[in-house]
Amino acid sequence: MDKWNLVIDVALCENCGNCSLAAKDEYVGNDFPGYSAPHEPLGNNVVRIQRKVRGSGSMVDAAYLPTLCNHCDAAPCLKVGADGAVRKRADGIVIIDPVKAKGRRDLVDACPYGAIVWNEAQQLPQTWIFDAHLLDQGWSAPRCVQVCPTSAIEAIKTSDAAMARRAADESLEVLKPELQTRPRVYYRNMYRFTHCFVGGAVSTLVAGRSECVEGARVVLLNSLGAVGSALTDAFGEFRFDKLPVHGGEYRIEVTHPIHGGASVRVVLGAESLNLGEIRLDGVPR
Amino acid sequence: MQRAILRTILFSLGPVLNRTAAKYPAFRAVLRQRDYTAQIRLKDRSIGRTFDIRAGRVTSSASLREPADVQMVFHDLYTALAMLKPNADMAEIVHAAKNFKVVVQGRDELVVAFMQMLNFSQSVRLRQGVRTGDGCTRYTTNTNGGPLFVYVRDGKIVRTTPIELGAQDGPSWTMRARGRTFTPLRRTSVAPHGLTLKSTVYSDQRLLYPMKRVDFDPAGARNPQNRGKSGYERISWNEALDIVSSEIKRQKRLYGPGSIAIQTGSHHQWGNVGYYLSALLRFGNLIGFTRVHPNPDSWEGWYWGAQHHYGNSMRVGVAASYGTTQDCLDHAELIVFWSSDPESTNGAYAAFEGTQRRLWAKQLGIEFVHIDPHCNPTAQLLGGKWLPTKPGTDPALAIAIMYVWIAEGLYDKQYVAERTTGFDEWRAYVTGELDGVPKTPEWQELETGVPAREVRALARKWGKRRTYLANGTGGTGFGGACRSATGAQWARCMILLLAMQGWGKPGVNMGNFTADAPVDLYFYFPGYAEGGISGELNWTAAPVNNYTRMPHIVTMNPVRQLVPRQRLPEAIIDGKATGYLWDGTSTEAQFAPFVYPMPGYSPIRMLYRYGSSTFSTIVSSTRWERAYQHESIDFVVNQSIWNEGDAKFADIILPACTQLERPDISEWCNPGGYLPHGQNSVNHRVILMQHACIEPLGESKSDYQIFLDILTRLGLGAVFSEGCSELDWCKRVFDSSDLPRHITWAEFLNKGYYVVPPVDERLREPVNMRWFAEGRHKDLPEANPLPSQYAEEFGKGLPTPSGKIEFIPETLKRVDPENRSLRPPLNRYIPSWEGAQTQALVRRFPLQLITAHSRYSFHTHSDGKGSFLNNIEDHRVLVDGHYYWLLRINPADATPRGITHHGLVKVFNDRGAVICAADVSALVVPGVVKSFESSAVYLTRNAKGGRVEVGGCMNTLTPERSQSPDTESMAPNSCLVQVERWADPAIQAA
């Protein structure tokens, strides 16, 4: 049986909020018996977007992570709601029953992702239901796909084997894999959110004026050896990405055949680093 | 024979109406609304019939006994047949009406009812919307943020979604570049404010019934000083309309023409018939009013500055975009986004259509540079080098780039020599030959904070690569930098940069992919600026196409008096004001001031305040409160949808309904007029019926209906409506366009939309300015400029005195030959009058505030009022039960002030104080705080230390000073503030 999955490209999310707004538009003021009771108009977004800003000075980037119910195959809420309050469909979608889950505040805490919200007025736990009611009517994808300006969100109905192959081929990740919940929501380019960069701008003095150095070779090393190598661009800038948080001690070695070299010691903590201007020593290498 | 036909038509009319009533309950209900007699006859009484409409049934006889309540009298047989036969020619009908060949007499209300009833007997038969599988009817509508399907069940809106194109909607276009093929997704995109429409329709802030201020008595004490403070009581529509219409009559009687001023927000719910340039203008012209003349607010520096160098007055100084998408994809290596954030500004009305195209450019390896104090959403998505500048210093950066080009020979010398004038004088300034100050990258670093070496690197990269320069929302103009004290300087520099690189040569142009999708620009459908149903020929683009394509009766405002919108408070409080015209007919039109009051006219005594709230869209908002409360204003009526902003300062509130509760018709992103071919921003041209999807909420009515009801009390109902309902006007707009050649009215009403197929690839437009670069005649499909604006031969050269790009504009030299003004012919860098260099102010207010167009809302649309947008933390943040507007601040400025992320802050200067929630991140450069204008919520509270505004009206803080004294231009982005942590407890309700 083919099942639903979502693939979200973190590098393409621009935080427009449309996915979140589409969920409000769909579920606020509407009752879909068997699928979902009305959602609250304000607060308790079932589709949320988190932001991660990295860097400082003028070397800054921002990444956005949309999160929603992962429709996990081994969902903790399924265990807690095994009495019928929560069920998993054959197509992979998890539904919190809007009648049987009445009063089940414990289901909110059951989700390790915080994807279940508590609707006080309805006395119901609620979440993003993959727009199952629309898919069952023949819609080809949930609404978040339709409103995303960059096509960052893709909905795929396929076999689990095919999805696993795709996840491997494209280095897709899931949230909190260590919990072994087996989410059906995958992420591409998650490193923008979870990993650090170290960057800088190489310069030299020419006739007493500071100039950006293009084409300098920059090598990033740690105790195990070279981690990465890059050439500086027209602004003298370089950036090494996908470094682990608290990566520890590194060294940056810069060389240029005319303008010389520089060496910088770096300690990578919790946050990305913009080393700023790195002045070459003028001794050709 | 003809006489027999007329007799037959008249004879069968009664039975036809009765059969229609039997079949259609809606029509039956209309017939039941009134009992009256109506007579249709020839003037010589030789043919005629009298109809008796009573208890919902029609009987008729050939007797022409007097008196009938309504009489439709035709001068001759020909006119009668022209009007009464099926598929009548509107041109004939309007001509007949204008020339008294048909006269409709009787009480105005009954005349309108009779004519609308006849129209409705036809339109009631047509199915609107499409039934879907789940019991919904799927309608269509159009917004500032894109078109939508609207699903309705049991009279309630279920959802609104973008439009998915079907197979029957024709093919999409394809573009080929560098060996790749690109085609857009077959669906429309939507901006956040479009997607939240449902939540604003059902908002608990909706005005549901007419209201009167409790201490306003039109026959006694009016208490103007209490506006904005007093409460309201509910009144009936009759009472409200009686008050408004008698106040209009009172104004004319007591003060004479000019005493009524009509003021509206800059943007409107979409729809050609209901737009403020349409129905409102028609209403205004019929009562006579002082026009509140807008300033070119979103593109100040382009209108007042840039156009002097190269023309384009009819596009208000903004460049065209023809052919630039293909050209950029083919040739460009670099795009410099300068004060350009299309992922936030969405090409104004184009939602995210350009986003796909920008991502194609990224796929092709085109590089990006972003110049903006904020690492804005476009920079975040696309990546590339970010150069943060201090607000208002951008001209210095541009001049220094030109310095490097000159010093290192990195500019197009042939182009400069052959296509421009005045370069030698400009070069002397840039190199320092003129004033002893070389405008080096080191020189600009002191101004902008951008390291000199980076400016050199950028200048070299730019000078050696084919580079597109992107400004503002459409990529060809606008941008926050044009709305500061140096706005004109900056926009002028943008022209000079392009002139030095060979503007129009392959890969050298203005654009950011927001404009110029290869849609069919030759398919005619009117845009909102083309006057709609107004009949106004002077202040809309109606004469260009709309007036001849859609015959309708012209209207004219006999009041010549104008008041500049930015100075309306001063005009009321001080009794006088001076402004400068926004007028696209020529470059020179902006020089002559106009004065209020104008001799012969009354000063303003009554404000008809229509449409969306503007408290936070116009600088120095607090002035407006004092204006409303001024003793000289006898009467303020507010006609709007939600109880926010200006509505709270009215004497009478008239509740208007939203666009989903009334019919209209429009095209996506089609302004027309001053923004011709604006629909080239969208990947598919979509023309839509905006169905009335649900009944108006409460007692709210459409604007059109409100105007009709007021004017009927003045005997002008038939003139205003021409006997038409809004749906009838929609059909007239439909008939005026090219649509009838491709789809019938019935099909269009049913399905709701039509997608215009793209043109053949081989017929796409040539590239903007390519003709000029190559010394040919202009070959672009734009009726711009006016023939007299060409220096010599028609179609040759630019509309400047020399026909070339002028580094030192002749048009500015004529008014300021000695370079003495703040807008001199030599575009030298003059630092902002409120910025980093104004030391005395900086000591007290060390941070620069910039307020851009809001990303998620649009003007005041979809903000506040319980809109779903409140759920977006990049728009408003919930703190202690109140949704605060955001202020973005760098940790370097936040930490010393004890300000934490999402903590409350007070932003203040001498003009006022606003409480915001802080967004602390490195995305905004230190020394600058970024927010948005256009809060829909205007809420003041008394606190320790003075009054504060808590809705997010950032324009409380901005200067009212014009960029330069000889222009009417706003400069909100030249604004110094201080920011403090705000420790007061939760905001108490009033």
Side-chain angles (χ1 to χ4, degrees):
Chain A
M1 163 103 199
D2 284 351
K3 297 184 197 158
W4 284 102
N5 307 272
L6 218 61
V7 178
I8 300 177
D9 191 336
V10 172
L12 282 180
C13 177
E14 59 169 302
N15 194 33
C16 71
N18 273 358
C19 49
S20 217
L21 296 171
K24 285 300 189 197
D25 182 68
E26 185 60 30
Y27 298 103
V28 173
N30 292 322
D31 194 9
F32 298 112
Y35 295 96
S36 173
H39 285 198
E40 290 170 317
L42 295 177
N44 276 334
N45 292 341
V46 294
V47 179
R48 292 172 300 163
I49 303 176
Q50 297 167 65
R51 180 181 76 185
K52 176 72 187 169
V53 178
R54 307 186 306 171
S56 61
S58 67
M59 188 178 281
V60 179
D61 67 20
Y64 298 98
L65 186 77
T67 60
L68 26 62
C69 173
N70 287 300
H71 297 271
C72 310
D73 282 351
C77 63
L78 273 170
K79 284 206 201 71
V80 175
D83 55 355
V86 185
R87 70 181 186 281
K88 191 167 183 55
R89 298 168 19 143
D91 63 3
I93 294 176
V94 173
I95 299 286
I96 300 177
D97 193 294
V99 171
K100 294 180 186 156
K102 203 79 145 176
R104 294 294 303 273
R105 207 187 281 257
D106 57 322
L107 285 168
V108 175
D109 297 324
C111 176
Y113 301 102
I116 303 179
V117 302
W118 179 250
N119 185 328
E120 184 66 28
Q122 297 278 345
Q123 289 291 301
L124 276 173
Q126 293 180 316
T127 187
W128 178 72
I129 62 164
F130 219 107
D131 297 349
H133 62 302
L134 297 176
L135 298 175
D136 290 348
Q137 276 176 44
W139 286 53
S140 59
R143 288 191 56 182
C144 53
V145 173
Q146 191 189 49
V147 297
C148 178
T150 59
S151 302
I153 306 179
E154 192 190 346
I156 306 150
K157 197 174 187 194
T158 189
S159 71
D160 284 350
M163 191 63 222
R165 266 196 310 278
R166 183 160 165 194
D169 289 345
E170 298 178 20
S171 308
L172 303 179
E173 298 174 62
V174 299
L175 292 176
K176 304 195 186 185
E178 68 280 6
L179 298 180
Q180 298 187 329
T181 50
R182 292 192 281 128
R184 304 195 71 83
V185 176
Y186 296 85
Y187 292 89
R188 186 180 294 118
N189 295 315
M190 188 114 91
Y191 73 90
R192 292 280 303 274
F193 216 82
T194 57
H195 285 60
C196 293
F197 75 75
V198 171
V202 176
S203 73
T204 189
L205 279 181
V206 175
R209 285 192 323 222
S210 180
E211 297 283 6
C212 303
V213 177
E214 185 173 5
R217 172 149 304 280
V218 187
V219 179
L220 178 72
L221 305 122
N222 63 8
S223 56
L224 300 173
V227 170
S229 168
L231 286 176
T232 57
D233 65 16
F235 295 98
E237 290 187 351
F238 65 90
R239 199 190 286 215
F240 296 104
D241 213 327
K242 302 186 183 178
L243 302 173
V245 169
H246 291 298
E249 241 184 76
Y250 294 89
R251 211 167 66 253
I252 301 254
E253 299 284 351
V254 188
T255 53
H256 188 273
I258 298 169
H259 300 299
S263 181
V264 182
R265 183 176 157 272
V266 172
V267 179
L268 185 59
E271 299 298 336
S272 296
L273 285 175
N274 172 12
L275 302 172
E277 192 177 354
I278 297 172
R279 179 66 58 78
L280 297 182
D281 59 14
V283 178
R285 314 247 214 290
Chain B
M1 185 58 198
Q2 302 293 306
R3 295 178 71 83
I5 292 173
L6 180 57
R7 283 201 178 88
T8 309
I9 290 174
L10 294 177
F11 181 81
S12 55
L13 182 56
V16 166
L17 292 175
N18 287 330
R19 274 203 301 279
T20 308
K23 190 165 177 198
Y24 297 99
F27 184 70
R28 193 157 62 240
V30 162
L31 265 190
R32 279 190 182 282
Q33 272 171 2
R34 290 173 180 81
D35 292 345
Y36 57 100
T37 55
Q39 196 176 87
I40 304 180
R41 63 176 171 87
L42 294 181
K43 202 179 211 174
D44 66 0
R45 295 172 173 271
S46 62
I47 300 176
R49 203 148 184 101
T50 303
F51 300 86
D52 195 336
I53 296 139
R54 200 155 302 278
R57 261 197 76 74
V58 183
T59 55
S60 71
S61 82
S63 159
L64 297 180
R65 70 184 181 279
E66 304 268 16
D69 297 314
V70 176
Q71 300 197 55
M72 184 182 283
V73 181
F74 293 99
H75 178 78
D76 52 47
L77 180 61
Y78 173 86
T79 304
L81 285 172
M83 188 143 170
L84 294 176
K85 68 173 196 261
N87 299 319
D89 181 350
M90 278 312 297
E92 289 280 0
I93 294 176
V94 170
H95 177 82
K98 286 199 287 195
N99 291 282
F100 296 92
K101 293 172 74 173
V102 59
V103 177
V104 189
Q105 299 161 321
R107 215 175 84 218
D108 202 44
E109 186 198 340
L110 293 179
V111 166
V112 172
F114 179 60
M115 292 169 71
Q116 285 186 343
M117 180 273 292
L118 291 176
N119 287 334
F120 190 42
S121 69
Q122 301 300 309
S123 65
V124 71
R125 301 152 197 273
L126 300 169
R127 159 176 285 296
Q128 299 197 40
V130 170
R131 315 266 320 163
T132 63
D134 59 346
C136 287
T137 301
R138 191 193 73 189
Y139 296 107
T140 51
T141 197
N142 201 2
T143 71
N144 287 285
L148 298 167
F149 282 143
V150 183
Y151 293 77
V152 174
R153 180 164 53 224
D154 299 332
K156 209 180 80 154
I157 301 166
V158 174
R159 69 177 68 86
T160 64
T161 76
I163 297 195
E164 299 267 359
L165 270 58
Q168 74 282 21
D169 286 323
S172 304
W173 48 263
T174 298
M175 218 166 227
R176 286 160 241 284
R178 307 189 207 193
R180 309 203 18 190
T181 304
F182 302 103
T183 192
L185 293 172
R186 285 178 65 76
R187 63 169 182 252
T188 63
S189 57
V190 63
H193 50 88
L195 197 49
T196 48
L197 183 59
K198 176 176 107 174
S199 64
T200 68
V201 171
Y202 291 121
S203 160
D204 64 4
Q205 295 298 300
R206 281 287 298 270
L207 294 163
L208 295 177
Y209 37 76
M211 295 200 281
K212 185 185 81 64
R213 187 161 58 87
V214 294
D215 52 356
F216 169 80
D217 178 2
R222 292 170 177 252
N223 291 307
Q225 72 283 358
N226 289 342
R227 292 187 185 118
K229 302 173 188 165
S230 317
Y232 291 86
E233 61 192 8
R234 177 178 180 168
I235 57 175
S236 69
W237 266 111
N238 269 335
E239 199 184 334
L241 295 166
D242 283 346
I243 292 175
V244 174
S245 53
S246 12
E247 286 296 310
I248 291 172
K249 293 181 207 170
R250 175 178 176 275
Q251 290 288 318
K252 292 195 207 189
R253 208 169 53 241
L254 276 188
Y255 305 116
S259 70
I260 304 171
I262 296 182
Q263 203 220 331
T264 172
S266 286
H267 283 275
H268 206 283
Q269 297 219 304
W270 209 260
N272 281 24
V273 173
Y275 215 79
Y276 70 83
L277 289 166
S278 173
L280 171 70
L281 200 44
R282 192 171 181 86
F283 166 74
N285 285 352
L286 292 177
I287 62 172
F289 66 103
T290 288
R291 181 180 161 78
V292 179
H293 190 67
N295 54 307
D297 46 10
S298 287
W299 50 92
E300 302 282 13
W302 299 89
Y303 178 74
W304 302 106
Q307 67 168 310
H308 292 281
H309 293 273
Y310 83 112
N312 257 7
S313 64
M314 292 191 80
R315 284 184 179 270
V316 289
V318 168
S321 63
Y322 304 102
T324 51
T325 295
Q326 183 74 62
D327 180 62
C328 192
L329 289 176
D330 280 338
H331 300 295
E333 299 164 274
L334 171 68
I335 304 178
V336 176
F337 287 81
W338 202 320
S339 190
S340 182
D341 182 18
E343 296 306 319
S344 293
T345 50
N346 299 132
Y349 318 117
F352 290 102
E353 294 294 282
T355 305
Q356 285 179 62
R357 307 191 291 255
R358 278 183 283 282
L359 290 175
W360 297 341
K362 192 168 154 103
Q363 280 175 45
L364 289 179
I366 296 173
E367 293 180 50
F368 309 111
V369 169
H370 306 273
I371 303 175
D372 189 322
H374 179 219
C375 184
N376 61 49
T378 304
Q380 292 169 31
L381 176 65
L382 294 179
K385 173 72 181 152
W386 173 39
L387 290 171
T389 50
K390 290 198 195 121
T393 65
D394 300 73
L397 173 55
I399 292 167
I401 289 170
M402 290 189 259
Y403 175 91
V404 176
W405 289 348
I406 291 167
E408 302 184 10
L410 292 174
Y411 67 99
D412 191 324
K413 295 184 181 164
Q414 173 250 337
Y415 187 98
V416 166
E418 293 174 14
R419 301 280 173 260
T420 77
T421 65
F423 184 67
D424 288 340
E425 196 180 331
W426 177 244
R427 180 180 49 206
Y429 167 71
V430 175
T431 59
E433 193 187 313
L434 176 70
D435 59 3
V437 179
K439 311 302 180 295
T440 62
E442 277 69 20
W443 163 82
Q444 67 78 44
E445 181 170 351
L446 297 172
E447 287 295 310
T448 68
V450 180
R453 72 176 196 281
E454 292 187 350
V455 174
R456 268 190 286 279
L458 173 61
R460 286 165 186 157
K461 196 177 177 70
W462 190 338
K464 292 176 188 167
R465 302 256 188 284
R466 290 184 298 268
T467 302
Y468 258 62
L469 177 56
N471 305 114
T473 183
T476 55
F478 311 85
C482 83
R483 308 205 299 176
S484 76
T486 61
Q489 295 173 41
W490 169 74
R492 294 173 67 182
C493 278
M494 297 300 105
I495 305 298
L496 303 186
L497 287 167
L498 273 180
M500 287 186 73
Q501 292 299 317
W503 190 3
K505 291 192 174 178
V508 181
N509 223 306
M510 256 196 213
N512 61 12
F513 292 99
T514 300
D516 189 56
V519 295
D520 178 355
L521 295 179
Y522 303 91
F523 185 105
Y524 173 69
F525 191 88
Y528 76 65
E530 298 190 60
I533 71 169
S534 68
E536 168 64 53
L537 298 182
N538 288 314
W539 298 103
T540 72
V544 180
N545 289 304
N546 184 40
Y547 186 60
T548 48
R549 293 286 299 234
M550 186 180 81
H552 54 294
I553 293 176
V554 78
T555 65
M556 282 183 68
N557 181 10
V559 175
R560 296 264 187 260
Q561 175 168 266
L562 308 170
V563 63
R565 175 178 60 180
Q566 291 294 334
R567 307 286 148 227
L568 182 57
E570 287 74 25
I572 291 170
I573 297 168
D574 303 333
K576 59 185 196 305
T578 302
Y580 294 85
L581 274 183
W582 166 6
D583 181 347
T585 47
S586 71
T587 312
E588 293 83 356
Q590 61 180 244
F591 287 134
F594 64 89
V595 169
Y596 164 90
M598 180 182 269
Y601 292 100
S602 162
I604 295 165
R605 297 270 191 227
M606 171 176 156
L607 284 173
Y608 201 109
R609 181 63 179 82
Y610 168 89
S612 51
S613 170
T614 52
F615 261 95
S616 193
T617 66
I618 306 195
V619 293
S620 200
S621 308
T622 329
R623 304 175 289 154
W624 295 83
E625 277 193 52
R626 295 198 301 274
Y628 275 121
Q629 290 158 353
H630 198 259
E631 57 185 1
S632 66
I633 303 296
D634 291 352
F635 182 55
V636 178
V637 53
N638 185 293
Q639 179 175 325
S640 57
I641 304 174
W642 296 280
N643 189 15
E644 59 188 14
D646 299 73
K648 304 187 192 214
F649 290 81
D651 301 324
I652 295 287
I653 299 176
L654 303 176
C657 67
T658 71
Q659 62 183 83
L660 292 184
E661 298 154 70
R662 57 174 174 82
D664 214 321
I665 186 171
S666 66
E667 177 179 0
W668 187 13
C669 194
N670 181 356
Y674 61 110
L675 295 170
H677 295 142
Q679 66 271 58
N680 79 358
S681 284
V682 299
N683 291 318
H684 302 88
R685 281 190 68 175
V686 185
I687 301 168
L688 298 113
M689 183 63 200
Q690 298 183 209
H691 295 112
C693 307
I694 57 172
E695 289 297 312
L697 264 55
E699 294 183 10
S700 67
K701 299 186 187 192
S702 71
D703 293 303
Y704 180 91
Q705 187 61 48
I706 296 172
F707 296 139
L708 181 55
D709 289 346
I710 293 170
L711 290 171
T712 301
R713 283 164 166 74
L714 302 173
L716 289 165
V719 176
F720 174 76
S721 64
E722 298 187 21
C724 288
S725 68
E726 286 161 277
L727 185 60
D728 300 327
W729 279 110
C730 289
K731 178 163 195 300
R732 289 170 74 172
V733 175
F734 174 92
D735 287 337
S736 79
S737 74
D738 285 348
L739 282 171
R741 303 211 303 249
H742 303 273
I743 184 172
T744 66
W745 174 238
E747 286 166 347
F748 183 75
L749 262 191
N750 181 200
K751 181 181 175 195
Y753 70 100
Y754 176 74
V755 180
V756 180
V759 281
D760 187 306
E761 249 180 88
R762 296 161 297 173
L763 299 178
R764 292 181 184 160
E765 285 75 43
V767 183
N768 182 47
M769 293 294 271
R770 179 66 49 81
W771 59 275
F772 177 71
E774 294 179 354
R776 292 182 285 108
H777 276 69
K778 184 168 181 177
D779 59 359
L780 300 174
E782 57 172 8
N784 153 36
L786 291 177
S788 68
Q789 297 302 102
Y790 285 105
E792 294 167 14
E793 202 182 304
F794 180 70
K796 199 143 192 269
L798 298 174
T800 55
S802 63
K804 301 182 180 180
I805 299 176
E806 301 182 349
F807 277 83
I808 315 293
E810 195 62 36
T811 48
L812 288 180
K813 264 165 83 163
R814 287 175 187 157
V815 298
D816 178 22
E818 313 277 309
N819 282 312
R820 292 235 182 88
S821 75
L822 281 184
R823 188 183 44 158
L826 176 73
N827 189 35
R828 69 179 193 278
Y829 177 58
I830 304 169
S832 171
W833 36 252
E834 184 168 328
Q837 285 206 16
T838 49
Q839 285 302 317
L841 272 177
V842 169
R843 272 195 288 276
R844 301 170 58 216
F845 307 118
L847 298 173
Q848 288 186 275
L849 171 69
I850 54 173
T851 45
H853 286 90
S854 169
R855 183 180 193 208
Y856 302 93
S857 53
F858 184 79
H859 265 242
T860 53
H861 297 289
S862 280
D863 175 54
K865 42 189 169 283
S867 159
F868 292 152
L869 283 187
N870 283 327
N871 293 305
I872 297 203
E873 284 198 331
D874 199 25
H875 180 67
R876 284 188 183 270
V877 171
L878 183 64
V879 178
D880 293 334
H882 179 78
Y883 283 95
Y884 288 91
W885 205 242
L886 277 183
L887 186 83
R888 294 162 190 78
I889 182 170
N890 188 287
D893 295 319
T895 306
R897 291 172 168 81
I899 292 168
T900 53
H901 189 60
H902 288 177
L904 295 184
V905 293
K906 176 174 149 184
V907 195
F908 64 95
N909 57 23
D910 285 332
R911 302 179 191 108
V914 183
I915 310 301
C916 295
D919 174 353
V920 182
S921 88
L923 291 169
V924 67
V925 74
V928 176
V929 287
K930 170 160 175 176
S931 188
F932 296 140
E933 31 99 337
S934 298
S935 161
V937 182
Y938 183 71
L939 210 54
T940 58
R941 291 287 178 266
N942 289 318
K944 287 196 287 276
R947 202 169 80 141
V948 298
E949 197 285 323
V950 302
C953 178
M954 304 310 285
N955 267 316
T956 305
L957 306 167
T958 52
E960 65 207 51
R961 181 171 167 175
S962 185
Q963 289 184 20
S964 58
D966 47 355
T967 66
E968 186 50 60
S969 54
M970 55 194 230
N973 290 321
S974 283
C975 180
L976 290 170
V977 297
Q978 176 59 287
V979 179
E980 277 171 9
R981 195 169 72 93
W982 178 250
D984 259 10
I987 300 298
Q988 301 302 317

